C-alpha cells in the first residue's frame, strides 16, 4: 500500500453526532478510494490492521467494509482479502418505483415502519448519488418494510437537505412531511409529482450484518439481496436508496420499459 494511503488510513476516527462509528470508518476508506490513495485493484489492509490504525474495534471495521462492498467500492476474494473495485459505481438510465411497490405482491400492501428520519452529513457514497459534495447536510430516512406481520426489508433513503431548484425555478428548501406511512420516494412522488427519472437499480448480494440483523430478525451472517436505487430529477442526481431484502420476501419481479 502507498505510504500516503497508509498515513491517511492510520489516523484515528471518531463518530459524528447522530452517525454511527462504522459510517466514519466507511467514509475514511471511501475517501481514500475516491481520491486515488487506494487505486483500483489494490488490496486494502486487514480488519485487524484497520482497527488498530483507526482505534476502533474489528466489529466496527467489519461492518464498514460490508457497507463498502454493498456499495460497490470494494470486492472480497475468498481466502485472499479485500480489494478496491476495478470500476466505481455508476448512475444509469432506467425508470424505478418506490420499494413498497417493488416488494408488494398482487393485491398486497406493505407496511412502512419508520425507524429514523434525521439530517446528517452525506458520506462519500451518498454525496454523488444526490448531487452534493461529501459532508453536505442531507436527509436520511430509514424504514423497515413489513408484509403479513413479517419484516422483509430494511430501507435507507437519502435526498439533499439543501435548497434545490427544478426546471429553472428559484431554489428553495425541500419541505418533506413524514407521515410514517410511506417511503421517502413515494412521499416525494406525491409532493413533487412522480419522479420519472432517469434512474437505475443495481442488484448485489451481501450479509445483513449485526446492526441490521435485529431489525429483520436474522442472524448477522444471513444473506440479503441489496437493491441500490439512483434517481435523477430536473436533470441532476437527486435521490439515493439502499434496500436490504431478506429471503423471506420470496421472488422479485424485474420490470423493464422499452422506448421506441
Amino acid at each position: 500500500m502507498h505510504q500516503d494511503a497508509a498515513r491517511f488510513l492510520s489516523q484515528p476516527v471518531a463518530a459524528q453526532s447522530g452517525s454511527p462509528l462504522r459510517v466514519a470508518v466507511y467514509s475514511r476508506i471511501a475517501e481514500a478510494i475516491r481520491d486515488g490513495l487506494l487505486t483500483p485493484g489494490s488490496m486494502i489492509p486487514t480488519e485487524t490492521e484497520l482497527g488498530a490504525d483507526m482505534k476502533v474495534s474489528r466489529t466496527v471495521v467489519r461492518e464498514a467494509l460490508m457497507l463498502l462492498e454493498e456499495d460497490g467500492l470494494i470486492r472480497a476474494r475468498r481466502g485472499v482479502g479485500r480489494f478496491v473495485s476495478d470500476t466505481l459505481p455508476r448512475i444509469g438510465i432506467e425508470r424505478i418505483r418506490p420499494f413498497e411497490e417493488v416488494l408488494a405482491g398482487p393485491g398486497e400492501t406493505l407496511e412502512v415502519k419508520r425507524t429514523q428520519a434525521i439530517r446528517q452529513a452525506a458520506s462519500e457514497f451518498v454525496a454523488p448519488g444526490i448531487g452534493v459534495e461529501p459532508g453536505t447536510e442531507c436527509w436520511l430516512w430509514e424504514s423497515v418494510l413489513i408484509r403479513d406481520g413479517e419484516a422483509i426489508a430494511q430501507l435507507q433513503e437519502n435526498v439533499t437537505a439543501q435548497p434545490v431548484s427544478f426546471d429553472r425555478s428559484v431554489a428553495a428548501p425541500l419541505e418533506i412531511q413524514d407521515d410514517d406511512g410511506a417511503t421517502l420516494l413515494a412521499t416525494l412522488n406525491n409532493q413533487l409529482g412522480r419522479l420519472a427519472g432517469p434512474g437505475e437499480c443495481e442488484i448485489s448480494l451481501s450479509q445483513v450484518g449485526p446492526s441490521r440483523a435485529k431489525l429483520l430478525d436474522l442472524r448477522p451472517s444471513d444473506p440479503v439481496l441489496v437493491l441500490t436505487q439512483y434517481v435523477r430529477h430536473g436533470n441532476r442526481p437527486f435521490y439515493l436508496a439502499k434496500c436490504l431484502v431478506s429471503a423471506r420476501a420470496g421472488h422479485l419481479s424485474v420490470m423493464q420499459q422499452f422506448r421506441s
Side-chain angles (χ1 to χ4, degrees):
M1 183 172 59
H2 195 278
Q3 288 185 350
D4 289 342
R7 190 179 305 112
F8 182 77
L9 293 175
S10 65
Q11 303 172 28
V13 298
Q16 296 183 354
S17 177
S19 181
L21 189 56
R22 64 180 178 274
V23 174
V25 175
Y26 170 104
S27 298
R28 174 68 60 78
I29 300 172
E31 186 177 353
I33 293 172
R34 295 286 186 187
D35 290 348
L37 296 176
L38 291 173
T39 57
S42 64
M43 188 174 185
I44 66 174
T46 66
E47 294 175 4
T48 300
E49 291 169 338
L50 289 170
D53 287 342
M54 296 185 186
K55 303 296 187 292
V56 296
S57 70
R58 284 188 60 186
T59 299
V60 169
V61 173
R62 187 178 302 116
E63 290 191 347
L65 293 175
M66 286 176 59
L67 294 175
L68 288 161
E69 190 170 351
E70 288 175 10
D71 295 343
L73 295 176
I74 67 174
R75 293 287 183 266
R77 298 179 188 172
R78 187 177 298 275
V80 180
R82 294 182 175 91
F83 297 80
V84 178
S85 297
D86 293 329
T87 57
L88 298 183
R90 62 183 178 81
I91 296 177
I93 58 170
E94 298 171 65
R95 293 175 182 268
I96 60 167
R97 298 173 294 157
F99 276 108
E100 60 261 60
E101 297 179 20
V102 174
L103 298 178
E108 293 180 328
T109 300
L110 290 187
E111 176 189 352
V112 179
K113 180 181 178 181
R114 190 86 65 244
T115 56
Q116 188 171 221
I118 61 171
R119 291 172 180 250
Q120 66 175 23
S123 71
E124 294 285 337
F125 169 67
V126 169
I130 62 173
V132 301
E133 293 295 322
T136 303
E137 192 174 49
C138 71
W139 278 106
L140 166 66
W141 281 24
E142 291 189 342
S143 310
V144 174
L145 305 185
I146 300 172
R147 185 173 66 197
D148 296 330
E150 284 190 320
I152 63 169
Q154 192 263 348
L155 175 63
Q156 298 175 330
E157 302 174 279
N158 296 95
V159 293
T160 180
Q162 303 300 305
V164 295
S165 62
F166 301 115
D167 303 322
R168 298 180 181 178
S169 60
V170 177
L174 184 62
E175 300 296 337
I176 309 172
Q177 296 183 352
D178 180 10
D179 61 4
D180 196 29
T183 61
L184 176 56
L185 183 56
T187 301
L188 291 171
N189 282 342
N190 291 332
Q191 181 173 327
L192 300 176
R194 192 167 186 85
L195 303 181
E200 178 183 15
C201 184
E202 297 177 348
I203 303 173
S204 61
L205 189 66
S206 183
Q207 294 179 336
V208 65
S211 62
R212 296 169 297 190
K214 296 178 182 179
L215 294 173
L216 296 178
D217 192 23
L218 298 174
R219 295 170 299 182
S221 59
D222 282 346
V224 287
L225 200 64
V226 182
L227 307 179
T228 305
Q229 282 187 346
Y230 302 87
V231 181
R232 297 176 67 88
H233 189 62
N235 199 34
R236 55 167 286 172
F238 178 68
Y239 165 93
L240 170 64
K242 183 164 62 176
C243 188
L244 275 64
V245 185
S246 73
R248 68 172 66 99
H251 72 277
L252 297 178
S253 298
V254 178
M255 296 183 63
Q256 296 177 317
Q257 294 187 353
F258 296 88
R259 299 174 183 171
S260 58

